[in-house]
Structures are given as C-alpha cells and as structure tokens.
Amino acid sequence: MRILFVLLLTLLIHQSTMAQNKPTLIYIGDPLCSWCYGFAEEISKAKESLKEKVDFELIMGGLRPYNTETMKSLGDFLKEHWEHVQERSGQPFNYDILNDHSFVYDTEPPSRAVKTMESIQPDKAFEFFKAIQKTFYADNLNTNHVDTYLPIVASYGIDGEKFKVAFESEEMKQATRDDFEKSANMGISGFPTVVLQMGDKLILISNGYTTATSIELQVQKYMAKEKNN
C-alpha cells in the first residue's frame, strides 16, 4: 500500500512539473507588418489547434518604431510588398492610404496599443492585435491616434478613458520598448516569426509567412523529440 502511495505521489509530482513546464509558442510580430497581416489567419488556426499543448505569448517585434517617413514617401516600396501579401494570403487591402502625405508610418503607437490591451485584458491582446491590422490595412485609419482604437476597446467592454490614460503612460511606453528589446535579444530580424520555448531552449518554428499546418507539425515534432529524450 505504501509503495502504491509513493508511486501515485511521484506521478502527481511529475504531472505537476510537466504542467509548469508547458512549452510556449511565441509569436513575434508587428501590427503594421504586412506579412503579419497576411499571416493572421494561419497563426490563429495554429494557436487554436495547439492550445491544449502550449501556452501562447505575443511579442511586439518593432518593425519601424519611431519612424518619421510618411505613407506617401514609402508608397511604392510598401505597395509592392502589399500586393505580394494579398496574392499569397487573400487578405483585403485598401491602397488609398499609400497616398497620404500626413500619415507617419510609425509602428510604435499600435504596438503600444497592444501592450496596453495586454495590461488591461490579457486574453484579448491577440484579438486586438488582429483588429488593429484590419483597422490599418482594410479601413486605412490612422494608428498613431489613440482615438482610432477606442471603438475596438469599447467592443471589449473596456472604458475608453482608462485605455487612453494607460496608452499614454510612461509604463506602457517602457513595456513596448521592452518587447522590442526582447525581440532583438532573441536575434529576431524579420516578422512574422514563431518560436517554441521549451524550458531554456528557444526553437525557431518559422520565419516569414507559413501555414498553420506547418507550424503544428513543427511544434509536434519538437515536443515528441523532447519527450523521447
């Protein structure tokens, strides 16, 4: 009886340790990254498919933070990329914004908006990230202005003034900088990137656009390999 008890206790401890060491699927992206927008449906499917096996973390990579160039000045360069993304992913694009002389293509404010949402309602951060993508690429709204985010925020039942105060705070600006630094320290140089964290190990799953199936197969392969070691 004592032996059985010890075996059960060992099993419970092992299961608890496994739960604590659950792998994390880390998605490094930027709300205004066109390939991240194209990748939205694929990473969403992978996240849903793997939700019982892995935790999920979203890191703001910092595509063009603190940039001062306008949409118009970058128009030809961006248009070529957007057309490739639209062709590959089928995501809707509105190209009118590429003629805007006043809209500065700074990816820090939308990244900070995501971090702000994460601080208020963490389970909505990824959904909010995707909503910002649509707001920019399909609706052509100016993501430098906090008021742009308020209708989305309201749809989650969050007070707009509370969001505004947090968004404009030094704390959220620093949290955003911290994400940019974390991405750089991981050696990430392009978006979207997906990494699997298993204990102290970081495993590159994908860099650039890929399919949900490819992500799922890669994650399952590395998890099976780890289990057999």
Side-chain angles (χ1 to χ4, degrees):
M1 191 71 179
R2 178 179 174 79
I3 294 174
L4 180 60
F5 174 76
V6 171
L7 287 173
L8 287 171
L9 182 61
T10 302
L11 178 61
L12 287 170
I13 292 172
H14 176 70
Q15 289 175 335
S16 176
T17 302
M18 289 295 287
Q20 291 171 2
N21 295 333
K22 192 175 180 182
T24 301
L25 192 68
I26 304 173
Y27 173 38
I28 305 101
D30 188 292
L32 301 196
C33 156
S34 58
W35 280 110
C36 297
Y37 175 54
F39 185 53
E41 293 307 309
E42 298 302 327
I43 186 61
S44 297
K45 290 175 188 175
K47 178 178 180 290
E48 178 64 23
S49 172
L50 295 166
K51 66 182 180 182
E52 301 300 327
K53 297 182 177 71
V54 300
D55 291 326
F56 182 81
E57 182 180 355
L58 179 62
I59 294 177
M60 299 297 98
L63 179 65
R64 286 175 179 263
Y66 319 112
N67 179 54
T68 58
E69 295 168 285
T70 66
M71 297 301 300
K72 177 65 176 177
S73 64
L74 292 167
D76 292 340
F77 168 77
L78 293 174
K79 185 173 185 289
E80 183 178 353
H81 283 280
W82 292 13
E83 287 172 343
H84 287 314
V85 177
Q86 186 171 29
E87 182 180 357
R88 180 80 185 273
S89 69
Q91 288 278 53
F93 280 78
N94 184 342
Y95 293 87
D96 291 347
I97 200 172
L98 296 176
N99 295 312
D100 195 325
H101 291 272
S102 61
F103 189 159
V104 174
Y105 186 51
D106 179 3
T107 70
E108 191 276 343
S111 296
R112 182 167 19 118
V114 174
K115 296 303 294 182
T116 303
M117 176 58 70
E118 187 178 72
S119 73
I120 298 171
Q121 203 165 322
D123 62 328
K124 294 295 184 183
F126 180 59
E127 186 178 329
F128 186 62
F129 176 87
K130 292 191 295 179
I132 292 174
Q133 292 176 317
K134 179 181 179 298
T135 291
F136 176 70
Y137 283 105
D139 302 333
N140 280 182
L141 299 182
N142 194 323
T143 50
N144 293 319
H145 303 321
V146 65
D147 288 350
T148 296
Y149 307 112
L150 298 189
I152 311 171
V153 167
S155 73
Y156 300 147
I158 297 170
D159 179 70
E161 190 57 33
K162 178 181 179 180
F163 183 88
K164 269 188 175 184
V165 170
F167 175 81
E168 292 164 358
S169 70
E170 183 54 40
E171 181 184 359
M172 286 301 103
K173 291 176 183 178
Q174 184 59 54
T176 308
R177 288 193 292 268
D178 289 345
D179 261 29
F180 297 159
E181 185 176 346
K182 187 184 296 184
S183 171
N185 289 340
M186 290 170 69
I188 306 301
S189 58
F191 316 111
T193 292
V194 179
V195 172
L196 182 66
Q197 182 172 10
M198 303 185 73
D200 295 331
K201 291 190 291 187
L202 292 174
I203 303 163
L204 179 65
I205 298 298
S206 66
N207 179 235
Y209 182 91
T210 190
T211 65
T213 300
S214 176
I215 294 170
E216 292 157 15
L217 289 174
Q218 286 283 89
V219 168
Q220 289 164 3
K221 179 182 79 172
Y222 285 111
M223 288 182 67
K225 184 178 179 181
E226 185 71 16
K227 186 177 180 181
N228 293 329
N229 284 343

